[in-house]
Amino acid sequence: MSPAPTFDGEVRDAVAKRHDLTETVLGSLMIAFDGLELPAAVEERLATTPTAGVTLFRFSNVGDPAQIRLLTAAIQAAAATPLPLLIAADQEGGQLIGLGEGTTPFAGNMALGAAGDPLLVERVWRAMGLELRALGVNVNYGPVCDLATNPANPAIGIRSFGDDPNAVGELVAAAVRGLQSSGVAAALKHFPGIGDAGADSHHELPLLAADRDALDGRELVPFRAGIAAGARVVMSAHLAVPALTGDPGLPSTLSPAVMDSLLRGELGFSGVSITDALDMGAIAQGSNQVLDVLAALRAGVDLLLTAPDPDARGRIEAGLRHAAARGLVDGSAARASTARVRDLREWLSGFDQPELSIVGSAPHLALAKELAARAVTLVRDDIGLLPLALAPTDRIAAIMPTPTDLTPADTSSTVAPGLASALRAHHPAVDEIVVGHVPSVEEIAAVRERVRGHRLIVVGTTAAFTARGQAALVEALLTAGPPVVTVALRTPFDLAAYPASRVHASSYGILHPSLEALGAALFGKTGFPGRLPAAVPGLYPTGHGLVR
């Protein structure tokens, strides 16, 4: 018969268990930092403290592809673990290209929705995955599963495949297959669906007022499809969904009803769950932030996505250590999360890293051009103006707003205005006019005066549905004299803000391939094969498009 344990032995065992729990909980963090090289403090942290991985951010960590590959290699070397750390980024294509201009400029999900071909989606997302792998990134925060059902949503827009749940679900599944075939984990976002919200969770807590039946028939459909396709990760939304939580003030990230009962119980997801970024205004910041972090863990979330703020991460880590020491963390749940993350890392270890030359390679650039050409959509041509037939001396005014980030999940500000150059590829006399994101009354008057002598006006908008100044500019140009072609350069909803336009097209993006495809289609060098992936309120249904 073994002797009874001594009091000192019990204390040592308890201390050891608390230490193990602390290590386990700290291993739930996806950390981040500022710098194109690995800072010494972060290198030490990776070497001495359990860490799930690192998130790279465009404006914090990204230079050119060679620099990114060196940085990710340094991260993995610092951790010195037998399994790869998770290294993640937002590489959605379109308006959010988290790994910089050196990667292939694929149009985003809404362009893929306009093309409507799951095989094309699979090809594009596999190509993006191969580039991510070559850069050393093994988790992509995508695809977006949110539906484009609210034109006033400030955060989603062309990040969505469209507004039809079943069509979006089919494309989400194709994206998951393509991305994960390259050895990069797909992270479905933003669960349980933020597309119909009217606020941006980067700044405040949005409310989704739909009832449970509506959620089942709408928001949850793409997530079910992505999970069925084998998605390895699901990212939560900082979104109030009272139909699920019973509380209009509770972010779904912090709700066991959403992150456990619904995601794991009803939808059967067995992979890794992760919060959206913890620096967003929809959840508590400052001294109360750690309370929401603990609530997320208690809700069943596996990973905590921190931003590149060392003070905030320090507060979170200190709070997690204290919570573990006080027994406020469920040890069995923490160990289950660790096991799920380990399974993901084991899966990632089974893929080789491609050569860096695949990033921005000729086949990928050709695929980006194919996508853009298949997406461009002719919505209206009431006067038979297209294809354009002009004399070489006829002058075109090409007008567009300065590219602007409409939400923190946006990298459009890094893109140079390109509408004029896209038209110059087909016509020699094009004058470029770039206006402010919200043109002033004086700016609008000056542009209207300037275009009087032109044979044609092509004016693009990027947010006319929500930025009234852009719509006012178009309305002024429609009465300036020359014929006008309007183009929705992002979401197709803009036409509803200036419905008097008689000739209108959608490009679903301002990246070079999208504008190049638009120019070719306007001049009849190619067609307009795309179809609206989301309805234009009061004007055109989903699926509309003119054959020209």
Side-chain angles (χ1 to χ4, degrees):
M1 184 174 180
S2 61
T6 65
F7 178 74
D8 287 345
E10 291 175 344
V11 170
R12 283 195 299 271
D13 289 346
V15 170
K17 288 179 180 178
R18 293 290 170 84
H19 174 76
D20 291 344
L21 182 56
T22 299
E23 298 283 288
T24 300
V25 172
L26 290 176
S28 67
L29 286 172
M30 289 290 289
I31 66 171
F33 56 86
D34 284 313
L36 301 183
E37 297 180 350
L38 185 63
V42 177
E43 183 177 12
E44 181 180 1
R45 194 231 185 266
L46 292 172
T48 60
T49 307
T51 310
V54 175
T55 301
L56 302 183
F57 290 95
R58 171 70 180 267
F59 299 114
S60 295
N61 310 113
V62 172
D64 58 31
Q67 170 267 324
I68 299 170
R69 183 160 166 140
L70 286 173
L71 178 58
T72 57
I75 291 169
Q76 296 290 6
T81 58
L83 295 175
L85 287 184
L86 309 180
I87 302 182
D90 286 297
Q91 186 78 348
E92 297 178 7
Q95 77 175 54
L96 184 51
I97 299 184
L99 291 175
E101 298 172 6
T103 58
T104 301
F106 288 110
N109 284 349
M110 192 164 280
L112 287 163
D117 181 358
L119 291 178
L120 177 62
V121 174
E122 194 165 340
R123 290 166 59 207
V124 167
W125 278 77
R126 175 173 169 78
M128 287 201 297
L130 290 171
E131 296 197 0
L132 287 162
R133 258 286 170 179
L135 295 171
V137 176
N138 53 29
V139 178
N140 193 7
Y141 294 144
V144 168
C145 299
D146 307 305
L147 300 172
T149 49
N150 183 354
N153 185 303
I156 298 303
I158 58 172
R159 302 168 67 195
S160 169
F161 286 109
D163 65 4
D164 180 85
N166 292 318
V168 170
E170 187 176 15
L171 301 186
V172 164
V176 170
R177 291 193 298 270
L179 183 64
Q180 294 192 166
S181 71
S182 69
V184 175
L188 308 178
K189 64 184 186 185
H190 307 82
F191 184 77
I194 204 168
D196 205 50
D200 188 341
S201 55
H202 290 90
H203 307 301
E204 60 185 296
L205 179 65
L207 173 69
L208 183 60
D211 62 26
R212 181 58 199 265
D213 287 343
L215 293 171
D216 281 334
R218 193 177 62 183
E219 275 78 11
L220 295 179
V221 172
F223 288 98
R224 291 183 188 275
I227 290 169
R232 296 274 173 172
V233 181
V234 170
M235 176 184 285
S236 71
H238 302 324
L239 168 77
V241 192
L244 298 175
T245 67
D247 186 345
L250 179 66
S252 51
T253 298
L254 315 183
S255 171
V258 176
M259 300 310 300
D260 186 20
S261 298
L262 176 59
L263 179 61
R264 299 205 182 278
E266 294 187 40
L267 273 59
F269 179 65
S270 59
V272 172
S273 61
I274 184 171
T275 69
D276 205 343
L278 294 174
D279 66 334
M280 296 168 68
I283 60 173
Q285 299 300 306
S287 59
N288 286 332
Q289 186 181 43
V290 70
L291 300 179
D292 278 1
V293 167
L294 291 172
L297 293 178
R298 293 175 71 88
V301 174
D302 296 320
L303 296 180
L304 304 166
L305 199 171
T306 66
D309 178 350
D311 293 334
R313 194 185 81 225
R315 287 195 304 270
I316 291 170
E317 290 187 348
L320 291 175
R321 290 179 187 275
H322 187 71
R326 290 289 186 264
L328 300 178
V329 177
D330 185 330
S332 61
R335 288 187 290 273
S337 289
T338 299
R340 286 190 286 266
V341 173
R342 184 178 62 248
D343 288 345
L344 174 58
R345 293 170 66 186
E346 287 176 348
W347 177 78
L348 293 171
S349 70
F351 294 85
D352 295 327
Q353 185 175 27
E355 295 296 324
L356 192 59
S357 59
I358 201 168
V359 180
S361 61
H364 287 183
L365 290 172
L367 181 57
K369 291 181 179 181
E370 178 187 345
L371 163 58
R374 292 177 62 180
V376 65
T377 303
L378 182 59
V379 180
R380 175 187 287 177
D381 184 6
D382 293 345
I383 57 176
L385 182 65
L386 301 180
L388 297 175
L390 303 173
T393 56
D394 289 338
R395 301 208 67 79
I396 299 174
I399 306 165
M400 70 174 290
T402 301
T404 302
D405 296 338
L406 303 185
T407 172
D410 197 341
T411 55
S412 298
S413 62
T414 65
V415 181
L419 179 60
S421 61
L423 299 180
R424 287 191 191 114
H426 306 280
H427 187 76
V430 178
D431 296 324
E432 181 177 53
I433 303 174
V434 179
V435 300
H437 174 66
V438 182
S440 65
V441 172
E442 294 77 15
E443 198 172 10
I444 291 171
V447 172
R448 192 176 189 277
E449 184 64 28
R450 183 175 171 183
V451 302
R452 287 188 185 278
H454 288 75
R455 174 67 179 81
L456 177 74
I457 299 168
V458 179
V459 55
T461 58
T462 55
F465 194 86
T466 54
R468 180 59 198 166
Q470 291 190 23
L473 171 64
V474 172
E475 290 167 345
L477 293 172
L478 290 174
T479 60
V484 177
V485 177
T486 59
V487 182
L489 296 175
R490 287 177 63 144
T491 65
F493 311 129
D494 280 8
L495 181 59
Y498 43 80
S501 172
R502 302 184 69 186
V503 185
H504 183 77
S506 286
S507 69
Y508 311 102
I510 61 171
L511 298 178
H512 175 73
S514 295
L515 295 183
E516 182 182 67
L518 171 68
L522 290 175
F523 282 92
K525 303 298 177 60
T526 57
F528 286 92
R531 297 292 181 268
L532 290 176
V536 179
L539 294 176
Y540 296 105
T542 302
H544 169 81
L546 300 180
V547 177
R548 188 64 57 85

